[in-house]
Each structure stands twice: as C-alpha cells, then as structure tokens.
Amino acid sequence: MYKNLIDMFKENEGKGAAGAFNVHCFEMVPAMIKAAEELNVPIILQTSLGTAEYIGFAPLIAAVKALAEKSSVNVALHMDHCKDIEALKKAIDCGYSSVMYDGSALPIEENIANTKEVVGYAHAHGVSVEGEVGSIGGAEDGIVVDKDAAMYTRPEDALHFASETGADALAVSIGTTHGQYKSKAKINYELLEELKAKLGDTGLVLHGGTGVSDEDMKRCVREGMKKINVGTELNKSYIEVVAETFTAEGVTPLTSLRTLLGPANDRMKEIVTEKALLFKLD
Ligand code: 13P
C-alpha cells in the first residue's frame, strides 16, 4: 500500500527501521520494491528534486503509486533534502506521500518557521514531513548538502524544533556524512540516546547510510532509529555494474539497452536486501 511516514512508522513499530533508498532513475524502482516484498518489510523510495524533475513528477508518482497499490508491503515516496518550499508544495500537490524540508543551514528559528509552513501544508494533504537540525554535511546527488563541516545536533535544539514544528521525522547529525564511501562513520551513541529520550514520538532518521558499518546499522536500529537512508552505494554500484557489463566479453549490449540495465537492476535488489536485513529487528 502507498503510505506516508506517519502510518508506516506506526505499522512498523517494534519491527525495526524502515529503509529509505535514493532512486536516481526509474529503472531502480521495481527492483527495490521487489526486495522489500521478498523480506516483507516496508520501503521508502526517496528522490532528490533533480531526480523528480528528470523522470517527471507525474510519471514517477503514477508509477510508484501503481506499484505500491498492488504491493504486499507498505511503500512511501519521499522527497529528500529539499530547501525549496514551493517545490515541496508541488511534490505534495502531485502526490508524494512524504517530504523533507532541509533548513539545517539556516538559523534555527528560520528553520523552524519554514518547516512549520511545510508541515501545515503537508498535513492538510495527508503527507508526512521530515526536518533536519544540526548539519550532516557531505554531498548528495552531486549537490553539496552543506559546505561547512558537519555539526552535531544539539538535543535542546532538536526538542525545541520538534515541539514547535510538529514534524513527523527528524534527521539528526550524530557522526555520519553523506557520500562517505571508503571510511566508516564514528557514531556518537551517547548523543543518540539523549536525542531518543528527548524526542519521544518524532521518528529519528539516520542519513549517510553508505558510510555506516553493518554493526553500527544494527545498533542504531536497536537504539530506536526509525528511518535509515542509503544513497551513494546504490548510485555507485549501478554505474559500476553497467560499466562492467558493457566491457564484459561475450555481452553484446548494443543489441538491447536492457542487457546493460538488467544486471544493474539486479544489483539494486541485492543491496536493498542486504541493508533491509540489517534494519529488521530479530
Ligand atoms: P549516503 O549517500 O551517504 O548513503 O546518504 C544517503 C542519504 O542520507 C540521503 O539523504
């Protein structure tokens, strides 16, 4: 079924975190949903504004909704890291089930005011909202998310933000960075515990999943993360598999583009399966 994060979190309570996977082209979508169906876990498909504009809002949403409605699992379509309120209103009007307003680079009161505006509009349309406090940093979809060094989320700011805005989910900065591929993040568990205790019902979101070790993923889920984002690993692997297939002996990709895309789509399914298993509580 097609869901927002509010209902998805409720139905997934006690079962772990929902995996949120960045979609870069439409071909990735069916493979990702199939992986979730085989494990019987919910899945959040998330796009940047750039991906939504590349595929087109209407065809992307229509296709995800059609796949979600006939799926055995809950599927959300979420707009990731968007600083443009008008673009978020468009995403909501067109049918995204969830959006993220990223005002983390703004002074906290401005971030709160803007997020509040998005929450008002989104909730009136049955759409959930994720906000961000602190700065996760790094680059996402080729766009530098924050040019300054990452900055930990201050628990008092997070509590103030959550109670003022009514956001359903909150991206917190506890040591991860977007796009960190080679080294692994050092997670501040003391801070996570403090945030969890302060935030109660607001779903905590871990960004920068590519740079998180399997052990840390599992521990973050045990400690109450509700949504975990993975992007770079999917994008990088898709490109690598296409390149390998193109140069592999005996493969004649020029007869059909599908020869190249099929193995890359299969790799998406494998990665989503590997991650989703880490996000599931035993
Ligand atoms: P990675 O690209 O580091 O996996 O992070 C994804 C993310 O947090 C999307 O917002």
Side-chain angles (χ1 to χ4, degrees), residues 4 6 92 99 116-130 165-169:
N4 61 29
I6 306 165
I92 292 164
V99 295
K116 216 169 166 174
E117 181 183 340
V118 175
V119 170
Y121 194 83
H123 283 181
H125 291 78
V127 170
S128 52
V129 178
E130 176 180 338
T165 63
D168 310 292

Side-chain angles (χ1 to χ4, degrees), residues 75-152:
V75 179
L77 180 62
H78 178 80
M79 178 68 78
D80 193 25
H81 287 290
C82 186
K83 298 174 195 289
D84 179 342
I85 296 180
E86 288 315 306
L88 286 177
K89 287 183 178 168
K90 177 179 172 183
I92 292 164
D93 290 343
C94 289
Y96 268 71
S97 67
S98 185
V99 295
M100 175 184 189
Y101 173 70
D102 180 357
S104 59
L106 301 172
I108 182 86
E109 292 306 330
E110 211 180 318
N111 184 6
I112 287 174
N114 291 352
T115 307
K116 216 169 166 174
E117 181 183 340
V118 175
V119 170
Y121 194 83
H123 283 181
H125 291 78
V127 170
S128 52
V129 178
E130 176 180 338
E132 179 172 329
V133 174
S135 177
I136 295 157
E140 193 57 48
D141 202 5
I143 297 163
V144 176
V145 176
D146 194 324
K147 62 184 182 328
D148 299 322
M151 195 180 76
Y152 281 141

Side-chain angles (χ1 to χ4, degrees), residues 22 46 80-81 140 177-180 206-211 229-233:
N22 285 77
Q46 55 187 19
D80 193 25
H81 287 290
E140 193 57 48
T177 311
H178 294 104
Q180 184 179 21
L206 187 71
H207 281 240
T210 296
N229 291 2
V230 179
T232 303
E233 185 170 347

